[in-house]
Amino acid sequence: MGMPEQAQKSQQLVRQRSRFLLDRRYDAIFVFGVLFIVIGAAHVVFMLLAGDWDFWTDWKDRQWWPLMVPVMGLIVPSALQYIAWTLLRLPIGATLAAVCLVIGEWVNRFFNFHGWTDFPLNFVWPSTMVPTAILLDVILMWTNSWLLTTLFGASLWGLLFGVENMPLIAPFRIPVEYGGYVLSTADVQGFQYLRTTTPEYIRIVEQGNFRAFLQQFSTVTAVAAAVISFASYWFGQLIGRVLAVLPIGKFMKQT
Amino acid sequence: MSIYKRFSLLGVLFILMSVLTAPIAEAHGENGLPGFLRLRTVTFFDVNFTPNQEQFKQGDEMTITGKLKILESWPTNVAEPKVAYISVDAPGPAVLVKERWVNGEFTPGSIFVEKGKVYDFKVKVTFRKEGRYHVHPSLLVEHAGPLIGPGHWVDVKASTTPFTNPITLINGKTVDLEKYGLGTVVGWHLIFFAIGAIWLVYWLVRPVLARMLLVEQGKFSELVSKRDKIAGAVIAVVVAMTLFGGYTYAKTAFPGGIPQQVYRFAPEDLKLNHFVTYKVESATYGPTTQTVVMKVLITNHGSDPVRVTQFSTAYIDFVNKALAKPDTEHVMTVSPDARITPGETKSVELTLQDEIWQKANLLPIEEAQISMAGLLFVQDDKGNRDFGTIAAPLKTDYQTILEVLKKKEEFIR
């Protein structure tokens, strides 16, 4: 009894490509290359979509920062997770994107914001999404379901952003009496360190209808971030599918 | 020489020519701001820099005081001024803004503003970075952008001690705002980064590309084992514990945090005693003499005779030639320069011949509204001063238009 046609094709593929694919040196080159591509992609997307909310401590408020940054920051991790899981069965796509994003952002903040334009680093540090990225990958690995990963992983991504960044922002929320006003330390940084291209009036701090929820304000923001993260998670999946998985699949069939 | 070498050589030459022929960028391009914006939006006057010197060292302070009026002639093609703040234009955080007062009130953020109102300001800055740079007071208007006042060159030398920016927190601790909290931020970033790196290394020490073949064959169970799932559970627990640790640390190490604050209000109006009214009869520019001539009807409603002393537009003051000091930079001729008696209405011709019109790219010849505006000042013998906005369409001739446009092209080049 002969082998099924598909299995024969697979065996053929293994024989043809194993000389290249099984060599660890190619793995090293691949991972090294991917690292730089992901750093670049994650950084550019994040700069364009989250921008000022992640640049300055006085923009990192309780409403828009935990809403905009995780929602916009999920697109590339989601795309990379889709690619890594679909093509390689590796549950590290989101983690890789989050780690690369942190590297890219620190390089940007250190050389650009601090080195080039002289802002102190404690005013321009980036957020982190590494812990929730790990949870997103682990949930996918456990469930092997995009739907369940969306429901639990993407929602944790939005819900926990404020918690994972709380030790980072906490020093900058300590009050200061300044000019007869009580300001947060972050406000004083924004007041003192001149930003000629980011005027004060475009800073959006806790503006919007969420205030109607009074004391549950931060919780409502986190829940809203979780729900909107569903959409950005699927948007990322779509990008991963259209820009990577489908073209790679076509290429593999051709070769 | 191979084609590649030739192209490489050309590339190097191109870069060298671009770098070596580029002029030095100085000041803030205030002359590049469209003329109509500078003439018709805001006029700065009585601006003083204290101490009025060029040499400073890091950590020195300078106070900029002055007044500005948001003109009634604000252009219709620019958004109405409603929210704005007074600040300083400098190369980014080369200076620290320590205090900002408007009409005697400290303003931590933007304020509500109105056309026709006058704002008295005081901004105290500390020089943070060494270097030679231009410092201007400026009004940043929502939807309109920055409108800058007169500039002042400073040459800031490095201090022998590292620059610090001490600030006292409400809990009584004094910290250096240059690096406060940075250790905490970097420390927690490193902790989260390390956990992420461990998870990545756990997977990447194994063959990576070879997995693609097994995926194609559907051998998923060989790619993610039971051991991997346990490792996932362990790392998830570590993440949860770290998040809890971070939360606890934030609450215990930095108690009493408050959210970012936004204070926005309309400062109390300045009490101004207006006793003169103005009406512009005509305003012309040219031909070819770089001269603006304005005919203004001035009515004195006060009890003492007044005399025209000054015309200010954008950030430039033209002083009555008869009253000017030897070092006055810009002057104008007032004709007749006689006093205007109480109750009298007199037609006065102001002649402002100055190369600044073209040198500073001030003439709005290429704009949708070719007009002139600014503040005209009068003063009586007791020293009482009054001022008002004068604005009028600016007439010119074809020859002048051609000349101005040619100069503008040269300016842009």
Side-chain angles (χ1 to χ4, degrees):
Chain A
M1 197 165 67
M3 288 174 79
E5 195 181 348
Q6 186 58 43
Q8 282 180 345
K9 280 184 181 174
S10 297
Q11 290 298 319
Q12 264 183 325
L13 275 172
V14 173
R15 281 198 293 275
Q16 280 172 4
R17 297 186 198 145
S18 58
R19 281 178 60 200
F20 305 100
L21 291 176
L22 297 178
D23 193 326
R24 296 296 338 258
R25 282 175 299 180
Y26 289 97
D27 273 353
I29 293 166
F30 173 74
V31 171
F32 193 69
V34 163
L35 205 67
F36 281 95
I37 292 168
V38 176
I39 287 173
H43 167 67
V44 169
V45 171
F46 195 64
M47 290 277 281
L48 290 173
L49 299 180
D52 285 304
W53 273 290
D54 196 59
F55 292 162
W56 321 101
T57 54
D58 65 333
W59 277 67
K60 292 180 166 82
D61 71 339
R62 296 180 305 176
Q63 180 173 326
W64 291 101
W65 180 46
L67 191 66
M68 295 299 293
V69 173
V71 167
M72 296 304 162
L74 181 54
I75 295 170
V76 173
S78 168
L80 209 64
Q81 188 188 53
Y82 184 83
I83 297 164
W85 187 251
T86 310
L87 295 178
L88 301 166
R89 247 345 175 245
L90 274 175
I92 59 167
T95 309
L96 181 68
V99 165
C100 286
L101 180 64
V102 163
I103 295 171
E105 290 310 312
W106 270 110
V107 168
N108 176 35
R109 307 303 160 90
F110 185 81
F111 290 105
N112 180 13
F113 283 70
H114 178 62
W116 185 257
T117 44
D118 283 329
F119 286 106
L121 274 173
N122 65 350
F123 184 36
V124 295
W125 49 266
S127 321
T128 184
M129 287 170 277
V130 174
T132 40
I134 296 170
L135 295 180
L136 194 69
D137 280 334
V138 169
I139 289 170
L140 177 64
M141 183 183 68
W142 278 342
T143 62
N144 191 20
S145 158
W146 298 117
L147 185 64
L148 293 175
T149 308
T150 307
L151 286 175
F152 298 109
S155 59
L156 278 180
W157 179 280
L159 275 173
L160 293 179
F161 176 83
V163 176
E164 64 192 336
N165 285 283
M166 190 173 278
L168 309 183
I169 191 67
F172 305 96
R173 293 220 165 123
I174 296 295
V176 178
E177 194 182 327
Y178 200 79
Y181 292 85
V182 174
L183 303 175
S184 70
T185 311
D187 292 320
V188 178
Q189 288 179 301
F191 180 88
Q192 291 195 347
Y193 294 96
L194 267 185
R195 284 168 295 190
T196 47
T197 52
T198 312
E200 191 277 336
Y201 44 70
I202 64 167
R203 186 171 71 120
I204 303 169
V205 171
E206 302 196 7
Q207 287 178 23
N209 297 333
F210 284 1
R211 290 304 324 181
F213 293 96
L214 299 172
Q215 294 303 314
Q216 285 75 40
F217 170 65
S218 294
T219 311
V220 171
T221 303
V223 171
V227 174
I228 304 170
S229 290
F230 293 172
S232 75
Y233 184 72
W234 280 88
F235 183 61
Q237 302 270 301
L238 183 71
I239 288 176
R241 175 187 282 251
V242 174
L243 294 185
V245 174
L246 289 181
I248 290 172
K250 273 185 189 172
F251 174 77
M252 296 297 278
K253 275 182 189 164
Q254 283 167 4
T255 54
Chain B
M1 190 184 284
S2 72
I3 190 81
Y4 301 108
K5 282 184 179 172
R6 281 180 195 176
F7 271 113
S8 303
L9 190 64
L10 270 176
V12 170
L13 279 175
F14 177 77
I15 291 166
L16 279 176
M17 283 171 69
S18 307
V19 172
L20 296 176
T21 58
I24 295 167
E26 286 190 312
H28 299 106
E30 57 261 43
N31 293 347
L33 199 66
F36 81 102
L37 271 181
R38 282 175 288 158
L39 294 175
R40 297 183 51 204
T41 51
V42 171
T43 298
F44 286 81
F45 58 100
D46 295 349
V47 175
N48 286 301
F49 299 85
T50 310
N52 188 10
Q53 62 191 45
E54 198 174 315
Q55 297 299 322
F56 291 91
K57 66 174 193 303
Q58 275 179 301
D60 284 351
E61 289 188 339
M62 184 169 78
T63 304
I64 306 167
T65 55
K67 294 185 180 69
L68 65 88
K69 182 175 184 186
I70 300 179
L71 302 181
E72 295 87 341
S73 58
W74 187 276
T76 52
N77 51 355
V78 178
E80 285 276 302
K82 288 176 182 165
V83 173
Y85 70 100
I86 289 163
S87 186
V88 170
D89 214 53
V95 301
L96 293 176
V97 177
K98 299 293 260 188
E99 293 176 24
R100 186 168 61 205
W101 301 80
V102 179
N103 294 357
E105 292 182 68
F106 187 87
T107 57
S110 297
I111 53 172
F112 295 111
V113 295
E114 281 179 50
K115 275 196 303 191
K117 287 196 172 173
V118 178
Y119 298 93
D120 184 305
F121 63 87
K122 181 174 96 173
V123 182
K124 189 184 273 187
V125 300
T126 298
F127 295 109
R128 179 171 172 260
K129 287 285 162 189
E130 60 177 304
R132 187 169 187 271
Y133 41 86
H134 222 194
V135 179
H136 301 253
S138 62
L139 180 74
L140 290 98
V141 183
E142 192 176 28
H143 306 307
L147 303 161
I148 57 178
H152 182 81
W153 281 106
V154 292
D155 191 358
V156 181
K157 303 288 183 210
S159 171
T160 48
T161 52
F163 179 80
T164 57
N165 183 17
I167 186 169
T168 304
L169 307 177
I170 213 162
N171 57 20
K173 281 184 192 166
T174 298
V175 297
D176 178 10
L177 209 51
E178 290 285 304
K179 51 191 177 192
Y180 166 69
L182 188 59
T184 305
V185 170
V186 172
W188 281 98
H189 257 293
L190 284 175
I191 291 169
F192 293 138
F193 185 88
I195 300 170
I198 289 168
W199 183 240
L200 292 179
V201 169
Y202 174 81
W203 288 96
L204 293 176
V205 290
R206 291 180 250 175
V208 176
L209 289 171
R211 299 171 70 91
M212 200 182 281
L213 301 174
L214 295 173
V215 170
E216 279 185 37
Q217 294 171 38
K219 294 179 177 174
F220 303 131
S221 58
E222 293 177 26
L223 293 169
V224 180
S225 65
K226 202 171 179 181
R227 182 171 157 268
D228 294 332
K229 291 194 174 179
I230 293 169
V234 170
I235 200 89
V237 170
V238 170
V239 166
M241 285 170 63
T242 314
L243 288 178
F244 181 73
Y247 179 86
T248 310
Y249 170 80
K251 289 287 178 191
T252 52
F254 302 99
I258 58 166
Q260 283 84 342
Q261 304 294 299
V262 181
Y263 294 101
R264 200 165 281 185
F265 57 89
E268 204 171 312
D269 290 350
L270 284 183
K271 288 178 178 60
L272 298 169
N273 178 27
H274 288 296
F275 49 89
V276 173
T277 52
Y278 311 87
K279 187 182 176 193
V280 186
E281 292 180 297
S282 67
T284 56
Y285 177 75
T288 67
T289 52
Q290 303 205 37
T291 306
V292 170
V293 178
M294 285 187 284
K295 284 183 182 167
V296 189
L297 273 178
I298 304 174
T299 304
N300 182 0
H301 303 285
S303 53
D304 294 289
V306 296
R307 187 180 183 188
V308 174
T309 55
Q310 181 180 316
F311 173 72
S312 296
T313 186
Y315 41 79
I316 301 157
D317 299 329
F318 294 89
V319 179
N320 184 341
K321 201 172 184 176
L323 303 169
K325 293 173 184 167
D327 61 344
T328 302
E329 207 174 344
H330 307 286
V331 294
M332 66 176 175
T333 306
V334 181
S335 176
D337 193 16
R339 283 169 174 71
I340 303 158
T341 55
E344 185 187 7
T345 298
K346 187 177 273 184
S347 177
V348 174
E349 187 175 273
L350 312 173
T351 306
L352 303 97
Q353 184 177 8
D354 203 306
E355 62 175 12
I356 193 78
W357 297 117
Q358 288 189 8
K359 196 176 167 186
N361 193 30
L362 270 170
L363 292 163
I365 296 296
E366 269 188 318
E367 302 300 337
Q369 295 157 5
I370 302 175
S371 57
M372 172 61 59
L375 293 178
L376 189 61
F377 291 79
V378 297
Q379 192 169 319
D380 65 21
D381 291 339
K382 292 176 185 167
N384 297 315
R385 191 175 69 159
D386 192 17
F387 57 88
T389 306
I390 57 171
L394 188 67
K395 294 172 199 161
T396 189
D397 58 279
Y398 184 54
Q399 191 58 37
T400 309
I401 290 174
L402 291 177
E403 188 199 341
V404 170
L405 294 181
K406 191 180 165 192
K407 291 268 183 193
K408 198 165 187 175
E409 279 176 19
E410 286 171 13
F411 173 81
I412 291 166
R413 277 202 298 274

